[in-house]
């Protein structure tokens, strides 16, 4: 068809998809939200029922609407005043309710512009999406906003026995007894969520955690840190000099302020970097970047420190060699990052917290796009190759105006694309792009 894009099909009804639908409706563009779970606006992160799962960003930076910085805090003040501290870290459950409220409010104000479809997207053909039950959703453009995929161990199917492959699956932790020891593979944000959730459920066992480098998320300070303006060396020098400068700035002031100074321009720095520089960042710096950049609330950091001080949580650096299990428990053999060999870790259960299993080539939606040449992987094979507006590039590098990517699946193009402040900016840019796009 010719003419402006009038309806967008959005695959994924979590934060990214729902808030894009709301923003498009405010601009007069209709959309169809497809979600297989039906909890539109929540996704995995905000569907948690546990109020101990807190936001990792202060409330005054968590508005869902670009240009309205007080939106979330105002909503908290009206609906949940006990959690309305602007510099506090509200429960993620409440943030999910806020997102759903915004979606509902825009839906009411813009009748007929937001449609919701419960179903699982199975294939993309042009700008049409076929669902698993055979239905076809038509539109002028498609946006992939599918969030993070399931963990690596669970991505090929259900993991049975004493290995809990997807800790976010309903009832996944129910089998763990109050005194059961657990092995946790992965020491990032998912590990933090699972250990604290177990603790709140009355669990008093031990957590033996393992990751390749043994790094855990750093905590925020009780008060916000002022951003330190990046120097020219930090922005323009060779990678090794940049790292030296980051360490110098951190020593002269504080590392949190240095990270805050980089936050608004991280995507631009990533896009400006050549492939060799990106590869070095991914290979050598990313684990340290992640634990310093994606920090946890100060109270949660203190709770983890208390578990470690009390001997109930250990952190080991090493690579998994073998996992064995029987009716009584599980054993994990590993190669230490340094030092002599160590005995296997043993426990009643193993929880996989290694993070999302990003592999577009194996994904049922994006795999066929890659095979047909409609899409291609980026040079580092981190994800789909996109232009600066989030539009998919085909095998020849041409832009596809009818196929776009938003949120975590767009990480290859933007690097930082999982936190609300970053996705919020992408939503604003994408709404403008779609508003000015002409359907082929």
């Amino acid at each position: 068809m010719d003419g402006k894009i009038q309806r967008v099909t959005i695959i994924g009804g979590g934060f990214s998809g729902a808030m894009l639908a709301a923003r498009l409706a405010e601009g007069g563009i209709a959309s169809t939200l497809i979600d297989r779970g039906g909890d539109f606006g929540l996704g995995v992160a905000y569907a948690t029922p546990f109020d101990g799962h807190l936001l990792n960003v202060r409330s005054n930076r968590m508005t869902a609407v670009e240009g309205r910085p007080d939106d979330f805090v105002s909503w908290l003040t009206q609906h949940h005043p006990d959690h309305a501290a602007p510099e506090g870290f509200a429960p993620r459950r409440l943030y999910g309710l806020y997102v759903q409220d915004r979606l509902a409010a825009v839906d009411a104000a813009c009748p007929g512009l937001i449609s919701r479809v419960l179903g699982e997207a199975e294939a993309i053909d042009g700008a049409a999406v076929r669902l698993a039950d055979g239905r076809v959703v038509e539109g002028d453009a498609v946006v992939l906003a599918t969030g993070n995929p399931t963990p690596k161990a669970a991505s090929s199917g259900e993991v049975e026995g004493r290995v809990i492959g997807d800790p976010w699956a309903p009832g996944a932790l129910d089998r763990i007894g109050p005194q059961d020891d657990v092995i946790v593979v992965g020491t990032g944000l998912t590990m933090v969520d699972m250990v604290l959730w177990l603790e709140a459920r009355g669990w008093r066992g031990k957590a033996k955690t393992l990751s390749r480098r043994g790094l855990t998320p750093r905590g925020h300070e009780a008060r916000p840190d002022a951003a330190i303006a990046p120097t020219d060396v930090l922005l323009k020098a060779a990678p090794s000099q940049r790292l030296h400068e980051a360490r110098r700035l951190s020593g002269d002031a504080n590392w949190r302020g240095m990270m805050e100074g980089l936050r608004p321009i991280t995507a631009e720095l990533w896009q400006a970097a050549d492939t060799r520089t990106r590869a070095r960042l991914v290979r050598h710096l990313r684990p340290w970047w992640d634990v310093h950049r994606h920090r946890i609330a100060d109270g949660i950091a203190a709770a983890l420190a208390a578990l470690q001080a009390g001997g109930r949580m250990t952190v080991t650096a090493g690579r998994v060699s073998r996992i064995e299990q029987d009716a009584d428990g599980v054993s994990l053999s590993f190669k230490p990052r340094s030092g002599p060999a160590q005995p296997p870790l043993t426990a009643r259960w193993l929880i996989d917290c290694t993070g999302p299993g990003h592999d577009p080539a194996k994904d049922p939606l994006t795999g066929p796009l890659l095979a047909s040449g409609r899409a291609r992987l980026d040079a580092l094979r981190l994800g789909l190759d996109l232009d600066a507006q989030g539009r998919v590039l085909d095998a020849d590098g041409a832009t596809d105006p009818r196929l776009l990517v938003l949120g975590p699946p767009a990480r290859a193009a933007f690097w930082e694309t999982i936190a609300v402040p970053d996705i919020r900016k992408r939503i604003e840019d994408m709404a403008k792009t779609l508003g000015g796009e002409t359907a082929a």
Side-chain angles (χ1 to χ4, degrees):
M1 63 175 282
D2 295 322
K4 295 291 186 180
I5 286 176
Q6 298 181 29
R7 178 170 290 277
V8 178
T9 302
I10 304 171
I11 303 175
F15 172 83
S16 299
M19 293 300 90
L20 175 61
R23 193 68 190 90
L24 289 173
E26 290 174 330
I29 299 176
S31 65
T32 301
L33 268 175
I34 301 173
D35 190 78
R36 62 183 176 184
D39 291 325
F40 294 90
L42 298 185
V44 173
Y46 308 124
T48 174
F50 174 43
D51 278 354
H53 285 159
L54 305 182
L55 295 170
N56 296 323
V57 178
R58 299 179 193 276
S59 295
N60 57 8
R61 300 180 66 171
M62 286 293 288
T63 174
V65 191
E66 190 74 6
R68 282 160 47 185
D70 299 327
D71 198 63
F72 178 49
V73 173
S74 297
W75 183 89
L76 286 173
T77 301
Q78 180 180 356
H79 299 283
H80 300 276
D82 291 346
H83 296 284
E87 295 176 354
F89 300 89
R92 297 206 303 255
R93 180 183 66 84
L94 297 186
Y95 192 77
L97 296 178
Y98 159 70
V99 172
Q100 289 185 321
D101 269 11
R102 166 160 166 76
L103 181 63
V106 174
D107 195 7
C110 307
L113 291 184
I114 300 176
S115 300
R116 309 183 194 201
V117 173
L118 177 61
E120 183 162 7
E122 188 174 68
I124 301 171
D125 181 11
V129 177
R130 187 178 72 247
L131 305 184
D133 60 9
R135 288 178 293 167
V136 175
V137 179
E138 301 282 356
D140 303 321
V142 177
V143 176
L144 284 169
T146 49
N148 280 316
T150 55
K152 298 180 183 71
S155 60
S156 60
E158 184 69 22
V159 179
E160 301 289 349
R162 294 195 169 273
V163 176
I164 299 173
D166 183 0
W168 291 110
L173 303 183
D174 291 350
R175 294 179 290 167
I176 300 175
Q179 302 300 324
D180 289 351
D181 289 350
V182 297
I183 298 168
V184 183
V185 182
T187 58
L189 295 173
T190 304
M191 177 277 290
V192 174
D193 282 343
M194 293 305 126
V195 170
L196 292 183
W197 202 358
L198 284 171
E199 179 80 358
R201 292 157 63 108
W203 168 79
R204 293 298 178 264
K206 294 181 178 180
K208 306 170 184 180
T209 72
L210 174 85
S211 66
R212 292 185 180 182
R213 294 173 177 82
L215 299 173
T216 57
R218 281 24 176 187
H220 287 276
E221 291 285 6
R223 305 292 294 178
D225 293 282
I228 298 173
T231 63
D232 285 344
V233 175
L234 190 62
L235 298 179
K236 301 176 182 178
S240 59
Q241 292 175 298
R242 288 178 167 182
L243 185 58
H244 178 78
E245 180 72 352
R247 289 170 173 158
R248 185 190 70 78
L249 290 172
S250 297
D252 291 348
N254 67 81
W255 64 264
R256 292 179 179 86
M258 189 272 296
M259 296 297 289
E260 288 301 308
L262 286 173
R263 181 169 188 166
I265 58 173
T266 300
E268 288 81 358
L269 292 174
W270 174 256
Q271 290 175 323
D274 57 29
T275 300
R276 183 171 179 268
T277 300
R278 290 186 183 186
R280 294 178 67 185
L281 290 171
V282 171
R283 181 174 177 82
H284 301 292
L285 188 61
R286 180 175 184 174
W288 282 270
W289 171 271
D290 284 348
V291 298
H292 288 85
R293 166 66 176 82
H294 302 291
R295 303 192 288 280
I296 54 179
D298 54 326
I300 289 180
L304 289 180
L307 286 173
Q308 290 182 270
R312 291 189 52 218
M313 176 178 161
T314 59
V315 181
T316 302
R319 184 187 295 266
V320 175
S321 300
R322 186 174 65 257
I323 297 173
E324 299 175 307
Q325 58 178 307
D326 57 28
D328 297 321
V330 60
S331 172
L332 183 150
S333 300
F334 65 98
K335 181 180 180 181
R337 182 168 177 82
S338 61
Q342 298 182 29
L345 300 177
T346 59
R348 291 281 287 173
W349 306 93
L350 184 148
I351 307 174
D352 178 12
C353 294
T354 52
H358 290 283
D359 191 347
K362 295 182 179 179
D363 184 272
L365 273 179
T366 57
L369 299 175
L370 291 165
S372 68
R374 187 177 180 188
R376 71 181 186 184
L377 293 175
D378 75 301
L380 300 183
R381 303 183 69 83
L382 295 176
L384 297 182
D385 206 5
L386 312 174
D387 71 1
Q389 284 71 48
R391 296 173 295 195
V392 170
L393 301 180
D394 68 14
D396 297 322
T399 297
D400 187 339
R402 296 190 297 168
L403 185 59
L404 301 92
V405 181
L406 177 66
R411 64 187 192 133
F414 302 107
W415 181 256
E416 290 292 340
T417 183
I418 61 172
V420 164
D422 305 306
I423 298 175
R424 185 176 67 226
K425 294 177 181 178
R426 301 278 82 77
I427 288 173
E428 197 68 20
D429 291 345
M430 187 167 287
K432 293 176 182 177
T433 297
L434 290 167
E437 210 48 278
T438 297

